[in-house]
């Protein structure tokens, strides 16, 4: 049995699967893996959350970097892997998509937003660090380009930051609780394109496995959790998942 057929068989036997995605699914859309060797964070030091809060210079630098990536984020589109995940959701085979990605591509591919659990937030909008209000990026960019500084929150004067979880920033509590509940409730946990090294997110596959779920890992490189998995595919995601969905 080939990998895609094996994956299709596991999906057929599952009634409530969870998909867990990392950078590897989005690199197939042309989004760089920021944490990979040669990725942005090995060439340019990341800005830690405390430094963002403490320093106006760091906030300017963070926003300069974000706007420099805007053309890339504005033009990327979901790929075959995202579409296959959306198809599984539409067919009622998935309860949730847990993602480490911040690019909004699962929602763009048609997965309902309330089924996407974003562990590292979303870079397509901003939030006030004090009152939590959501703010679109376009007016922040216009202010930044006109004044050289990002605006403060119009409502409370707090600091605006992309709605992502930065290095050194606490994990989002509600999302962690939802992800844990989804991992414990699923009967199949499908890892797509994560090297499973960033904790606590990387703890969810083994949590699901220990609770009786089957574990599938599709990732180009081996991961430390491969020995625990029922099926491991060291391939790209789009083609493998598309073939599996077609074989359902
Ligand atoms: Zn505010």
């Amino acid at each position: 049995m080939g990998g895609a057929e094996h994956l299709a068989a596991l999906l057929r036997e599952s009634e409530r699967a969870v998909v867990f995605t990392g950078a590897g699914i989005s690199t197939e859309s042309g989004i760089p893996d920021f944490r990979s060797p040669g990725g942005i964070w090995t060439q340019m030091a990341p800005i830690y959350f405390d430094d963002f809060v403490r320093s106006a210079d760091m906030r300017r630098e963070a926003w300069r970097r974000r706007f420099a990536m805007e053309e890339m984020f504005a033009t990327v589109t979901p790929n075959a892997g995202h579409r296959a995940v959306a198809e599984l959701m539409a067919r009622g085979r998935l309860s949730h998509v847990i993602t480490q990605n911040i690019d909004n591509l699962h929602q763009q591919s048609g997965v309902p937003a309330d089924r996407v659990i974003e562990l590292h937030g979303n870079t397509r909008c901003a939030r006030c660090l004090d009152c939590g209000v959501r703010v679109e990026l376009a007016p922040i960019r216009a202010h930044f380009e006109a004044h050289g500084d990002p605006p403060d929150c119009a409502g409370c004067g707090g600091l605006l930051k992309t709605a992502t979880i930065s290095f050194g920033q606490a994990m989002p509590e509600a999302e962690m609780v939802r992800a844990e509940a989804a991992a414990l409730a699923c009967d199949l946990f499908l890892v797509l394109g994560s090297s499973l090294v960033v904790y606590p997110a990387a703890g969810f596959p083994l949590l699901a496995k220990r609770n009786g779920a089957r574990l599938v890992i599709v990732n180009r490189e081996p991961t430390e959790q491969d020995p625990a998995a029922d099926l491991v595919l060291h391939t790209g995601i789009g083609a493998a998942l598309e073939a599996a969905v077609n074989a359902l």
Side-chain angles (χ1 to χ4, degrees), residues 19-20 24 41 46 53 59 93 109 113-114 124 131 157 159 175 201 222:
V19 161
F20 177 96
W41 298 143
V53 172
R59 289 194 290 280
R93 294 189 173 271
S109 71
D114 64 352
R124 306 306 300 269
C131 73
L159 300 176
E175 281 76 7

Side-chain angles (χ1 to χ4, degrees), residues 4 31 38 41 44 67 116 135 221:
I31 295 179
W41 298 143
M44 191 162 57
F67 294 137
V116 182
V135 183
E221 308 295 329

Side-chain angles (χ1 to χ4, degrees), residues 77-195:
T77 53
N79 63 59
H82 295 105
R83 288 193 296 274
V85 170
E87 176 68 19
L88 288 171
M89 180 65 80
R91 293 194 197 181
R93 294 189 173 271
L94 299 186
S95 72
H96 293 88
V97 177
I98 304 171
T99 187
Q100 299 172 286
N101 299 333
I102 58 173
D103 51 40
N104 206 52
L105 289 180
H106 287 300
Q107 294 92 326
Q108 277 179 245
S109 71
V111 178
D114 64 352
R115 300 294 194 94
V116 182
I117 303 172
E118 295 177 314
L119 298 178
H120 295 160
N122 190 311
T123 194
R124 306 306 300 269
C125 68
R127 284 197 188 279
C128 171
L129 291 179
D130 286 342
C131 73
V133 70
R134 179 194 157 110
V135 183
E136 299 305 317
L137 295 189
I140 296 176
R141 186 176 191 175
H143 188 285
F144 186 81
E145 287 173 354
H147 304 280
D149 272 311
D152 293 327
C153 173
C156 79
L159 300 176
L160 299 181
K161 179 181 168 296
T162 55
T164 50
I165 305 301
S166 296
F167 287 89
Q169 187 171 4
M171 294 295 286
E173 206 170 316
E175 281 76 7
M176 290 298 289
V177 169
R178 291 178 68 209
E180 182 174 332
L184 288 172
C186 76
D187 58 7
L188 174 66
F189 195 97
L190 177 54
V191 176
L192 302 176
S194 173
S195 47

